Amino acid sequence: QQTYYAKFNEGALLRGSLKDQAEFLKAAMGPNASYLTPNEARDFMDRNPLPGGDDLPRPGTSAAAVMQEEDQNAA
């Protein structure tokens, strides 16, 4: 009970199907006109933030490609 807790989010029921949510997030983090950072998208889905996920994706690249590039630069 100290580690886990129950979270009831009625608003999540109004978001639509997982497919609709994925399409929205894909468009919001799109390669050319993104307006959501990866951490904002993860917060939308009640996920933990990623280190370095507070920057908007660069035009012409996917968020996954940016994260992979940053991992390679860090190594």
Side-chain angles (χ1 to χ4, degrees), residues 13-68:
L13 296 173
L14 302 174
R15 291 184 188 156
S17 69
L18 288 176
K19 180 182 176 190
D20 293 336
Q21 292 177 41
E23 288 176 6
F24 164 75
L25 292 174
K26 182 179 176 181
M29 295 176 57
N32 296 321
S34 59
Y35 59 90
L36 280 182
T37 65
N39 281 344
E40 289 172 332
R42 292 179 65 82
D43 184 50
F44 180 78
M45 298 297 290
D46 295 325
R47 304 290 308 255
N48 292 331
L50 293 172
D54 291 324
D55 298 324
L56 286 173
R58 293 186 292 259
T61 61
S62 68
V66 171
M67 296 299 284
Q68 183 179 16

